[in-house]
Amino acid sequence: METTLKIRDQGPRLRRLWRLSWPAIIEQILNTMVSYVDTAMVGVLGAVGSAAVSVNGPPIWLIHGIMAGVGVGYSVQISNAVGAGDRERVRKIIRQTFLAAVVCGVLACALYELLGGSIPRWLGAKPEVLPHAANYMRIYCAALPFNCLMIVFGAVLRGMGNTKAPLLFNTATNLLNLVLNFLLIYPTRQWRGLTIPGAGWGVEGAAIATAIAITCAGIPTAMAAFRQQDYATSLREGFAPDRDIIRRAVDLGVPSAVERVIVNMGQIAMTALVGHALTTVAMAANNIATTAEGLCYLPAFGIGYAAIALVGQSVGAGDREDAQAYGTLTGLIGFALCTVTGVLLFLFAPGLASLFNSDSQVVAQAALALRVVAFAEPFFAVSIILTNALRGADDVKFPMMMGLAGMWCVRVPLSCLLVLHFDLGLAGVWGGMAVDLILRGALCILRWRGGKWLRLSGLSEV
């Protein structure tokens, strides 16, 4: 990052950055707070309930990563077209996005329904966990077509500069999920003389609640993009496949999707390591720590959404100075904010972990994992933000190569060494992750400062 940038001279850019960032940051905070409550609701069921959800986390992240890659392929094109002032192209890309999201969502649903009973077993779910984990996977993944609409069109809306609509829909989705969790996870019970109805379906109830909430949000998110002010369009205008847009989406989206696959396959390997080499308590603690860690990098994801839109629009407008300034500003601000959240995570790790599970062994292991990774959070924030900035500038292959090297040359082998040879348990898994995240942040800073993205985006000739 160009640390010589004078923040005090960046008033207009900071205001524009803030206007796009705050809804995305609040969206991430609400998502995580609801996820905390969701995890705590399942955690009441004990280690088996937490482990049944935990073991399905990485394969679900995997398919979400692929969907996010589709979102990158179309949202970068959208941001470029918005920056260039080409309204007709924006409308055409919106219609093409719908076609891509439907196809990808249906294919993902079919694949995961076919493999839903096998995936938890491959990842080392214990016999007492396996039936609930398999049911959770199949129920959740029935909503994948709508989930794809939500993820892809959320990215498209942000690329257009509308971060408020995704905030609204994600908030509604999460609140609905909470209400349905309350009704479906627990049995009917008495509270202060009141009868509170409940289905008592446990882990399966949590999956049904999430699937219903996602289904209710997918179509409205897509409709918001179709009705976006200045770019309103309709499927009646035609959505036959456009080779140029699809080819461009593949060029932009495939490296991003591959990066997510690489990273998530590594996360699956880590989950399998925990499942096979450690205990059910460790698997439950791993899920708790993963959920709690999200608190630290919430600002980074919100700022990263703004970075891809602002850099992408600057590239579309041919404005090199704006592109450089927005990338540098977002990286600096993200590093500073996540330094603060990292310190808080370290200090309050035990209390945070205890919110999600009453088992003292689970809480102790989760708190240790959080304190190990707290030191890496500022660098993780920089990697999240600058990879988005690089994608907005068409530099999509570097994040893919960085993800491959970090996950499979650093995190996986180092974690295996720390767990299997040095017998460090769950702390070894998270220690390997911390080293990986620090290296990624450093590499992203070097890439941004090196300026190769200027040539890839065509701005070096401006």
Side-chain angles (χ1 to χ4, degrees):
M1 292 178 291
E2 296 176 9
T3 54
T4 57
L5 186 76
K6 295 181 179 179
I7 300 294
R8 64 178 179 271
D9 297 333
Q10 303 300 315
R13 291 190 180 110
L14 284 171
R15 285 191 289 274
R16 189 180 180 199
L17 171 59
W18 173 245
R19 190 167 59 251
L20 291 183
S21 294
W22 75 259
I25 293 173
I26 292 176
E27 178 187 345
Q28 295 303 307
I29 292 172
L30 291 175
N31 284 347
T32 299
M33 293 301 103
V34 173
S35 176
Y36 284 178
V37 177
D38 196 26
T39 302
M41 284 179 162
V42 175
V44 171
L45 304 175
V48 170
S50 291
V53 176
S54 172
V55 75
N56 285 313
I60 290 173
W61 300 335
L62 172 63
I63 199 63
H64 283 181
I66 294 173
M67 292 174 180
V70 176
V72 169
Y74 290 92
S75 65
V76 172
Q77 292 189 76
I78 285 277
S79 64
N80 291 164
V82 168
D86 191 342
R87 294 186 180 182
E88 184 53 41
R89 181 166 177 79
V90 172
R91 296 186 183 101
K92 183 180 290 187
I93 295 170
I94 291 171
R95 299 193 298 271
Q96 291 295 299
T97 302
F98 182 82
L99 179 64
V102 169
V103 170
C104 291
V106 170
L107 290 176
C109 178
L111 177 63
Y112 270 55
E113 290 297 332
L114 181 65
L115 299 177
S118 301
I119 290 174
R121 184 174 67 252
W122 295 340
L123 295 179
K126 306 300 182 185
E128 68 273 19
V129 174
L130 185 58
H132 298 294
N135 289 338
Y136 185 95
M137 174 64 79
R138 287 199 172 103
I139 295 168
Y140 179 96
C141 291
L144 282 178
F146 300 95
N147 204 355
C148 194
L149 286 174
M150 186 175 175
I151 290 172
V152 174
F153 276 100
V156 164
L157 284 166
R158 296 184 191 101
M160 299 166 77
N162 182 354
T163 53
K164 293 181 181 178
L167 166 63
L168 174 64
F169 293 124
N170 273 289
T171 300
T173 300
N174 286 320
L175 291 176
L176 177 59
N177 183 40
L178 281 183
V179 172
L180 292 175
N181 270 349
F182 193 71
L183 296 174
L184 300 180
I185 292 177
Y186 309 116
T188 300
R189 59 269 190 209
Q190 296 292 322
W191 182 73
R192 295 186 177 182
L194 297 175
T195 299
I196 303 175
W201 291 340
V203 171
E204 288 79 1
I208 293 170
T210 303
I212 292 174
I214 289 171
T215 299
C216 291
I219 292 177
T221 305
M223 289 175 62
F226 275 86
R227 295 175 178 176
Q228 178 70 21
Q229 187 177 7
D230 297 330
Y231 306 106
T233 186
S234 167
L235 290 177
R236 289 191 296 270
E237 295 183 41
F239 64 104
D242 185 298
R243 290 184 180 181
D244 290 337
I245 292 175
I246 293 173
R247 185 182 301 111
R248 180 75 173 139
V250 170
D251 290 341
L252 291 168
V254 167
S256 180
V258 170
E259 178 209 348
R260 298 295 186 96
V261 169
I262 289 168
V263 170
N264 284 292
M265 289 299 290
Q267 291 170 333
I268 289 173
M270 292 295 90
T271 300
L273 175 65
V274 174
H276 288 290
L278 302 177
T279 63
T280 296
V281 168
M283 181 169 284
N286 188 59
N287 182 49
I288 298 300
T290 300
T291 302
E293 188 219 0
L295 175 67
C296 270
Y297 51 79
L298 294 180
F301 274 114
I303 295 168
Y305 290 143
I308 195 169
L310 292 170
V311 173
Q313 290 179 18
S314 299
V315 169
D319 193 329
R320 171 175 175 162
E321 182 181 349
D322 265 358
Q324 289 180 309
Y326 281 125
T328 302
L329 280 172
T330 53
L332 288 170
I333 293 170
F335 186 91
L337 288 175
C338 290
T339 296
V340 174
T341 58
V343 170
L344 294 174
L345 181 67
F346 184 89
L347 293 176
F348 299 106
L352 191 58
S354 67
L355 294 175
F356 310 128
N357 201 289
S358 56
D359 188 313
S360 61
Q361 291 181 310
V362 172
V363 170
Q365 290 199 37
L368 178 59
L370 291 173
R371 283 180 163 162
V372 168
V373 81
F375 296 95
E377 296 304 322
F379 296 92
F380 188 28
V382 169
S383 71
I384 291 169
I385 293 167
L386 289 186
T387 51
N388 274 309
L390 290 168
R391 290 185 186 109
D394 291 6
D395 191 355
V396 291
K397 292 183 180 178
F398 173 77
M400 178 184 70
M401 298 306 297
M402 183 183 64
L404 173 63
M407 180 59 73
W408 291 100
C409 297
V410 178
R411 186 186 302 194
V412 172
L414 181 57
S415 296
C416 289
L417 180 66
L418 295 175
V419 171
L420 301 177
H421 183 70
F422 291 98
D423 198 26
L424 293 180
L426 191 62
V429 174
W430 285 70
M433 181 172 76
V435 174
D436 170 28
L437 298 180
I438 291 171
L439 289 175
R440 285 196 212 183
L443 289 172
C444 282
I445 292 170
L446 292 174
R447 182 70 170 193
W448 185 260
R449 293 189 58 150
K452 186 175 181 179
W453 58 272
L454 290 167
R455 178 178 60 81
L456 293 172
S457 65
L459 292 180
S460 61
E461 300 174 359
V462 175

